[in-house]
Amino acid sequence: YILGADFQANPAMAGTAWKVLGELPDKWILWCVRAFWIEAGDEDDLADDYEEAGFTAANSLIIADASGNTQGAQRAYGARKAGPTSFSYFKARRYTIIGPQKRKTAATDRNTEGANPRPKEVAVARVNGLLRELRAGGLRALMVSDNPEAKPMAVSFAKCKATRGRYGIVPGGDHSHLTDTALYICWATLTALRPGEVRQIGRAHV
């Protein structure tokens, strides 16, 4: 499984679980099978829910908000380096956890596990493209299971607010946190399989 994670003390810790169906390199489908939304929780609670649902360190890779390698969800913006990082909770349980892409600048001691896509608008456009990209049998490249446990992901795609960024549309509001987990996984997939579609404007950074 591929697990997505967005680390927020408020409104909630957000996570998703995905399977890759179909065939590589160009007939794959990213299929969301479960969503996690944990209010008043922390990274340990998200890890607990992953494990209780059967998504363990032995069968899953986490692709997460890369800022979690330098700070925790309970971050104090004046002292970002204080306290455990979000990634550290999952590493303690032997998960492999990385950012959506490799860093394109030198990594610091605290920032070695990848970077987020920049600008975000480019990644958002790629997610929207995969939601429309056809596969055999009327399926799409990016889909959400009709299982009730995955419904929050479908609701977030449908209700996420669109706000104007510097280069285009970016998600906003509470629903943006689950959609961000999809963004991280989509970007990592395209980086591996379609590198020509992930050109950055400027450098990649957290």
Side-chain angles (χ1 to χ4, degrees):
Y1 296 94
I2 305 175
L3 307 180
D6 193 50
F7 310 113
Q8 303 290 332
N10 182 43
M13 302 293 296
T16 46
W18 302 73
K19 296 182 73 173
V20 181
L21 306 180
E23 301 176 9
L24 299 178
D26 58 0
K27 296 180 181 180
W28 46 268
I29 298 171
L30 289 173
W31 193 280
C32 181
V33 297
R34 186 153 183 164
F36 302 87
W37 183 259
I38 305 170
E39 297 179 357
D42 62 12
E43 291 89 342
D44 265 333
D45 294 312
L46 181 58
D48 284 345
D49 278 14
Y50 283 158
E51 291 176 340
E52 289 170 8
F55 307 117
T56 68
N59 65 17
S60 302
L61 165 70
I62 302 176
I63 301 174
D65 178 355
S67 67
N69 192 45
T70 58
Q71 63 189 22
Q74 298 289 346
R75 53 191 174 269
Y77 286 94
R80 288 193 170 202
K81 294 184 179 181
T85 67
S86 294
F87 278 27
S88 68
Y89 290 88
F90 298 90
K91 290 180 179 180
R93 303 192 191 205
R94 305 185 71 83
Y95 281 99
T96 297
I97 180 168
I98 60 174
Q101 65 178 8
K102 292 182 179 179
R103 289 186 60 80
K104 296 184 179 180
T105 56
T108 67
D109 289 343
R110 289 179 58 87
N111 190 3
T112 59
E113 304 297 337
N116 289 334
R118 290 291 187 271
K120 188 174 184 177
E121 293 90 331
V122 174
V124 170
R126 298 298 177 268
V127 172
N128 288 334
L130 292 176
L131 285 167
R132 297 189 298 268
E133 187 174 314
L134 289 174
R135 292 289 186 266
L139 301 177
R140 308 279 175 164
L142 181 64
M143 297 195 67
V144 180
S145 169
D146 58 6
N147 187 318
E149 293 174 335
K151 185 176 180 179
M153 180 76 262
V155 171
S156 287
F157 274 136
K159 294 187 175 182
C160 186
K161 296 178 181 178
T163 60
R164 175 64 61 179
R166 181 178 179 184
Y167 299 104
I169 297 298
V170 294
D174 287 355
H175 289 293
S176 68
H177 301 298
L178 280 174
T179 62
D180 276 353
T181 70
L183 181 147
Y184 303 139
I185 290 173
C186 290
W187 192 258
T189 301
L190 292 174
T191 298
L193 299 176
R194 299 182 188 172
E197 295 187 16
V198 294
R199 183 177 63 85
Q200 301 286 296
I201 299 174
R203 61 180 184 155
H205 60 282
V206 173

